[in-house]
Amino acid sequence: MVTPTPSAAPTPPASGTTPLEEELLRLAGSVPDPELPMVSLAELGVMRGLRLLGPGRVEVELTPTYTGCPALESMATDIERVLHDHGVPEVAVRTVLSPPWTTDAISAEGRRKLAESGIAPPAARRAAADGPVPVALAVRCPHCGSTETELLSRFSSTACKALRRCTACGEPFDHFKEL
């Protein structure tokens, strides 16, 4: 069952966790995203944490890519199944909305896998607080590498992707939108 918690802070990453918590976090994080199965929940950056609450009791924290994400229930069910299969009888999945997920949470491996699957990954938006703000001037085609691409539709198979076409090679492709 997914329980929304709008103001809860995410659990810190593996530092200070037990080896069992680290292993369970690895297992839960390895679950493929239901809409982008080429990337895991950890690679997508939606896995926020895992805590042992007691013997056989685990709480997992997920942050959806956007509020109302229809895949959230499927993610929770898949995490529960994986952890039940590894001997955890009681699994609670909690939705954490703050801080919100951004595309900066996608790991380098996740970006690589998106591109390898024909989906242009979002541009990284991280910048130093006092540094320049990065601006994406073009979207690179994941098929031929050209930056000569055009927007066909602001939405694709999921709300977090846009449909583009490369004018160099003519191939259409999904672009994971920057958030």
Side-chain angles (χ1 to χ4, degrees):
M1 177 176 163
V2 177
T3 307
T5 307
S7 61
T11 301
S15 62
T17 60
T18 68
L20 177 57
E21 286 171 316
E22 289 180 25
E23 175 64 11
L24 294 175
L25 183 61
R26 186 192 64 72
L27 288 167
S30 71
V31 169
D33 179 79
E35 294 177 331
L36 300 163
M38 74 288 298
V39 294
S40 71
L41 298 180
E43 292 163 340
L44 189 56
V46 298
M47 279 291 306
R48 287 290 172 98
L50 180 142
R51 279 191 299 273
L52 287 173
L53 302 175
R57 294 179 51 225
V58 171
E59 179 182 76
V60 177
E61 295 175 332
L62 280 180
T63 296
T65 56
Y66 65 95
T67 304
C69 175
L72 194 57
E73 197 65 41
S74 180
M75 290 179 203
T77 300
D78 292 347
I79 288 170
E80 289 169 0
R81 180 186 40 76
V82 164
L83 295 180
H84 286 314
D85 289 350
H86 283 85
V88 180
E90 190 178 327
V91 178
V93 178
R94 188 164 57 97
T95 303
V96 177
L97 301 177
S98 179
W101 179 90
T102 71
T103 50
D104 286 338
I106 301 174
S107 70
E109 180 66 4
R111 290 170 191 276
R112 184 193 68 73
K113 287 179 177 180
L114 287 170
E116 191 175 83
S117 298
I119 299 172
R125 298 181 336 146
R126 290 189 182 121
D130 59 351
V133 175
V135 177
L137 299 175
V139 175
R140 188 170 300 280
C141 173
H143 303 293
C144 73
S146 172
T147 56
E148 300 298 319
T149 65
E150 61 186 358
L151 180 66
L152 297 178
S153 174
R154 290 184 57 215
F155 298 99
S156 184
S157 58
T158 63
C160 51
K161 293 185 290 187
L163 182 61
R164 299 189 71 92
R165 180 178 55 216
C166 178
T167 57
C169 71
E171 288 294 318
F173 63 93
D174 281 337
H175 170 230
F176 201 110
K177 295 184 254 183
E178 289 80 10
L179 294 174

